[in-house]
Amino acid sequence: MSITDFLTDLFNPNLAFLPKALAIAVMSSIVCGVVGCYVVLRGMAFIGDAVAHAVFPGIAVAFVLQGSLVLGGAVAGVATALLIAIFSQNRRVKEDSIIGVFLVGAFALGIVIISQAPGYAGSLQQFLFGSITGIPDRDVYVVGGAGLVILGLVLALHKEFVAVCLDREMSRSMGLPVFWLDIVLYVLVTLAVVISLQTIGNILVLALLITPAAAARLLTDRLGVMMLLAPVIGGSAAVIGLYLSWSYDTPVGGTIVLIATAVFLAAWLLAPRHGLLAKRWRRVGAARPPRRHRQRLPGRSP
Amino acid sequence: MNELEVDQLEVDLGGRPVLRDINLRLDRGELVGLLGPNGAGKTTLLRAILALTSIRSGRVLVGGKPSRPGRCEIGYVPQRHEFTWDFPISVEQAVLSGRTGRMGLFRRPGVADWRAVGAALDRVQLTELRRRPVGELSGGQRQRVLVARALALAPRILLLDEPFTGLDMPTQELLGDLFMSLAGAEHAVLMTTHDLVAAVDTCSRLVLLNGRIIADGHPADLQDAALWTTTFGVSDNSPLLKLVKAI
Ligand SMILES: Nc1ncnc2c1ncn2[C@@H]1O[C@H](COP(=O)(O)OP(=O)(O)OP(=O)(O)O)[C@@H](O)[C@H]1O
Ligand SMILES: [Mg+2]
C-alpha cells in the first residue's frame, strides 16, 4: 500500500478508528520516550514491567464493569507503583523478588477476573497484544490530557529527578524529598504505560518505554538531546509501524515495537561515538600509521 | 563558637551499637583526618553529622544550630561509587546538580547558580574539562568533580568520605593540596581515609575512631603505639606501627 493510499484511508470517514489509533499511538510513544529516559538511566526496567502487568487486573475490572479501561488501569497501576516505592525505600528487602511475586500475582488476578466476563477470549487478546479498533472517542482526549500532565511534571521536576538519579545520598543531604520524588516518578511511569496499553498491548508496552530511550542513549552523551531523541524515535516508530501494520495486516503493537527495535539495532551499529562500527573504524585507524608517516619509515625507500 | 560540634553522640544501626560517646569539635581553618578500620563507623559519623541517619542520643550542632538535611553550611563529598558515572551529563551539569536543593522545587538555575559552578570548577581546576561527559573522566578527575559539586553551595564545612581511595600518589598530593588550601580559606574540613601517609602529611589533626573516639590530636602527639593497636586491632609488630613511628 502506498503512502497516499494510507493517507486516503486516514481521512476516510468509514475508517474513523484509524486516525484515532494513530493519534493515541503517537502521543503515547512520545510520552513513553520521555519518561523512558529516566527508566533506562535509573535501571528501572523491571519496575516498568511490574507496573505493566499490575495494570491488568484494573483493566479487567473496568472491562467487566464496562468502565473506562484507561482509568481502571491507572488506578491499579498507581496502587502498585506506590507499593513498590514504599518497599524499595528499605534497601535490605530484596525488592526484585517482591516485585516478581507481585506482578505475576496481579496478572493472575486479572486473568481470573476477565474470565468472568462472557466472550473474554477476544478481549484478552486485545489487552495483551493491543488493537487499533474499538477505541472510544473519549480515550483520545484522556490520553492527550494525561500525556500533557505527564510531560508538564517531567519538565517541572527534571532537575530533581536528575539529582536523585545521580546520587541518592547527596540528594538526601541537600534536603530533597527523595521518597516523594520516587513515588512521583513511579506514578509517571505507570501513567505512561497505561495510556499506551490500548494500541501496543500489555505484553509489548515495556518496549515503548525502554527501546527508544535506550537507542537515544547510544546516540548521545547529553541528557537533553537524549530526551528529545527518544520521543522522536518512539513517535516515528509509531507512525511507521501503524502504516506497515495497516498495509500488511500485521498486529499493530508488534509492528511498532519491531520498528523501534530496528532503530535500536541501527543505533548500536552506527552511533557516531560509541557505535560498533565507529569503534571498529577507530581501531583500524589507530593500528595503521598515517600515510605520510609510513612513507618516511627508514629502510622502505627503494 | 565551633563551626561543628558533636556532643555525646550515640548511633545504632540495625539494632546494634555503632557509635558511642562521640565528642568532636571542628573549627574553620582545620583539616581533620578521621582514621579507623573498616566498619569503625566513619561513614556513619559523617551521615549522622548530615542528619541522614537517626541518632540514639546526643546532638550535632552546625554553626550553633541543630543539623538537618538541606542546610547549606555543609558540603558533602560521598565516596565515588555513590555517583552514577555513566549518566549522560557534563562535568558542569554534575557540579550544578549540587545546587538542586538550594534552587528549590520547580526553579531553573539562574546567574548566581552558574557563577557558583564556575567558581567551584576553578577551585578544583576542572574549568577546561567542564563540557566533558562525566563518564570520560579519570578517578582523580571524578573526585574533583564531587568536591566541586560540594563547593558549589559555598559551604563552611566540608565532609569528605575516603577521597584518596584508589588514586595514585600524584593525584593524592594534588587533592591533599586542594584540601589544605580549602582549610586555609576558612573552611572546616573533615575527611575519612585509610591512607595514613596522606593523612599525616595533610591533616592538622587526626581522630582515631573505632566505635568510639580513641584519640584526637596533632599527628605528632599520636606516637603512642597503644592508641593505634586499640583502634585498628593489630598486633604489636604490625607494619602499621612502623609507619606510625616514622611520622
Ligand atoms: N544500614 C545498616 N544497617 C545495619 N548496620 C549497618 C548499616 N550500615 C552500616 N552498618 C554497620 O555499621 C558499622 C559502621 O559502618 P560504616 O559504614 O560507618 O563503617 P566505615 O568506618 O565507614 O567503614 P569503611 O572503612 O569500610 O568504609 C559497620 O559495622 C556496619 O556493619
Ligand atoms: Mg565508609
Side-chain angles (χ1 to χ4, degrees):
Chain A
M1 181 188 284
S2 71
I3 307 270
T4 28
D5 289 344
F6 183 61
L7 286 177
T8 320
D9 284 350
L10 263 186
F11 293 105
N12 181 346
N14 292 328
L15 300 173
F17 63 88
L18 193 59
K20 264 193 287 182
L22 183 69
I24 289 193
V26 170
M27 287 189 293
S28 49
S29 311
I30 289 174
V31 171
C32 279
V34 172
V35 174
C37 288
Y38 297 123
V39 176
V40 164
L41 291 173
R42 259 181 79 158
M44 302 192 334
F46 197 44
I47 288 175
D49 199 20
V51 165
H53 283 73
V55 157
F56 189 48
I59 289 186
V61 169
F63 179 76
V64 172
L65 300 180
Q66 312 267 307
S68 159
L69 300 187
V70 175
L71 200 66
V75 170
V78 168
T80 314
L82 293 183
L83 283 175
I84 294 174
I86 291 165
F87 273 117
S88 61
Q89 291 303 307
N90 188 342
R91 300 260 146 179
R92 256 174 300 172
V93 180
K94 281 261 184 267
E95 58 175 354
D96 57 343
S97 316
I98 290 172
I99 294 171
V101 169
F102 206 76
L103 72 88
V104 182
F107 205 69
L109 182 64
I111 290 177
V112 169
I113 293 174
I114 204 150
S115 70
Q116 303 303 309
Y120 75 93
S123 340
L124 191 61
Q125 173 122 359
Q126 216 173 69
F127 293 141
L128 295 184
F129 302 112
S131 133
I132 55 174
T133 55
I135 302 173
D137 279 356
R138 181 186 54 190
D139 277 10
V140 180
Y141 300 107
V142 172
V143 169
L148 283 181
V149 169
I150 296 171
L151 293 183
L153 275 171
V154 165
L155 208 62
L157 292 173
H158 178 65
K159 78 179 174 346
E160 280 77 18
F161 286 148
V162 169
V164 174
C165 275
L166 277 177
D167 191 336
R168 297 179 76 80
E169 186 80 346
M170 180 72 181
S171 299
R172 282 204 190 91
S173 88
M174 287 191 289
L176 295 183
V178 173
F179 173 68
W180 293 108
L181 287 167
D182 275 0
I183 286 202
V184 173
L185 185 57
Y186 290 0
V187 169
L188 291 185
V189 171
T190 308
L191 294 180
V193 164
V194 169
I195 63 175
S196 316
L197 282 174
Q198 275 289 0
T199 43
I200 300 292
N202 210 314
I203 306 274
L204 298 174
V205 65
L206 191 65
L208 215 52
L209 211 53
I210 308 295
T211 311
R217 176 69 185 98
L218 288 172
L219 293 173
T220 178
D221 276 326
R222 291 170 54 196
L223 181 60
V225 179
M226 178 179 169
M227 294 187 83
L228 288 177
L229 270 179
V232 168
I233 293 172
S236 320
V239 174
I240 299 171
L242 193 71
Y243 164 63
L244 291 178
S245 135
W246 184 245
S247 308
Y248 298 101
D249 196 20
T250 51
V252 62
T255 316
I256 292 177
V257 170
L258 281 181
I259 300 293
T261 310
V263 174
F264 175 81
L265 289 177
W268 186 62
L269 284 173
L270 304 173
R273 289 190 70 199
H274 302 295
L276 201 63
L277 294 186
K279 275 187 188 142
R280 173 77 40 92
W281 180 247
R282 265 204 301 279
R283 212 172 308 138
V284 170
R288 199 194 302 143
R291 196 159 237 176
R292 219 171 333 123
H293 188 74
R294 236 187 318 175
Q295 283 168 346
R296 266 194 245 126
L297 285 179
R300 279 284 175 94
S301 46
Chain B
M1 184 187 65
N2 299 98
E3 206 56 62
L4 173 69
E5 206 178 306
V6 179
D7 287 326
Q8 295 295 332
L9 178 75
E10 299 195 337
V11 177
D12 288 353
L13 288 177
R16 282 184 298 271
V18 173
L19 293 176
R20 283 292 176 267
D21 195 25
I22 305 288
N23 291 288
L24 187 68
R25 286 186 176 17
L26 198 63
D27 251 326
R28 294 193 188 199
E30 279 193 299
L31 171 51
V32 177
L34 189 58
L35 298 173
N38 291 134
K42 302 181 294 295
T43 302
T44 306
L45 177 54
L46 297 190
R47 298 191 76 230
I49 293 172
L50 288 157
L52 290 180
T53 184
S54 56
I55 60 181
R56 202 176 109 104
S57 65
R59 61 176 190 171
V60 176
L61 296 181
V62 175
K65 285 178 285 181
S67 172
R68 63 174 171 75
R71 285 192 52 184
C72 301
E73 285 92 343
I74 312 185
Y76 180 36
V77 184
Q79 279 185 267
R80 281 202 300 289
H81 63 71
E82 299 279 351
F83 192 93
T84 314
W85 292 104
D86 56 7
F87 205 85
I89 194 174
S90 67
V91 167
E92 60 184 357
Q93 283 168 324
V95 173
L96 180 68
S97 78
R99 288 182 66 90
T100 312
R102 153 87 61 96
M103 283 182 240
L105 283 175
F106 310 118
R107 294 273 182 71
R108 313 205 139 261
V111 180
D113 297 304
W114 284 111
R115 279 230 181 87
V117 168
L121 284 172
D122 264 352
R123 201 79 181 77
V124 302
Q125 297 173 24
L126 276 180
T127 306
E128 277 183 15
L129 298 182
R130 67 184 188 281
R131 303 221 188 277
R132 174 96 57 99
V134 288
E136 296 175 16
L137 297 175
S138 73
Q141 290 163 342
R142 290 177 181 193
Q143 191 65 50
R144 274 144 70 198
V145 170
L146 296 188
V147 174
R149 184 181 61 162
L151 290 179
L153 279 175
R156 292 201 295 270
I157 302 174
L158 210 54
L159 303 180
L160 303 139
D161 202 357
E162 301 197 18
F164 295 140
T165 301
L167 303 181
D168 66 6
M169 285 307 267
T171 312
Q172 287 193 13
E173 281 171 27
L174 190 141
L175 281 172
D177 287 346
L178 173 64
F179 301 152
M180 280 195 281
S181 76
L182 285 170
E186 294 301 291
H187 288 82
V189 187
L190 177 63
M191 70 171 180
T192 76
T193 180
H194 288 293
D195 196 310
L196 185 59
V197 178
V200 167
D201 191 47
T202 55
C203 294
S204 54
R205 225 172 92 201
L206 295 183
V207 174
L208 303 188
L209 179 83
N210 193 349
R212 62 198 173 84
I213 290 183
I214 299 187
D216 179 348
H218 190 272
D221 300 332
L222 301 178
Q223 297 282 352
D224 183 359
L227 297 176
W228 298 85
T229 50
T230 324
T231 307
F232 288 91
V234 292
S235 68
D236 287 338
N237 45 19
S238 153
L240 176 72
L241 293 180
K242 290 188 198 119
L243 206 59
V244 171
K245 290 210 186 74
I247 292 174

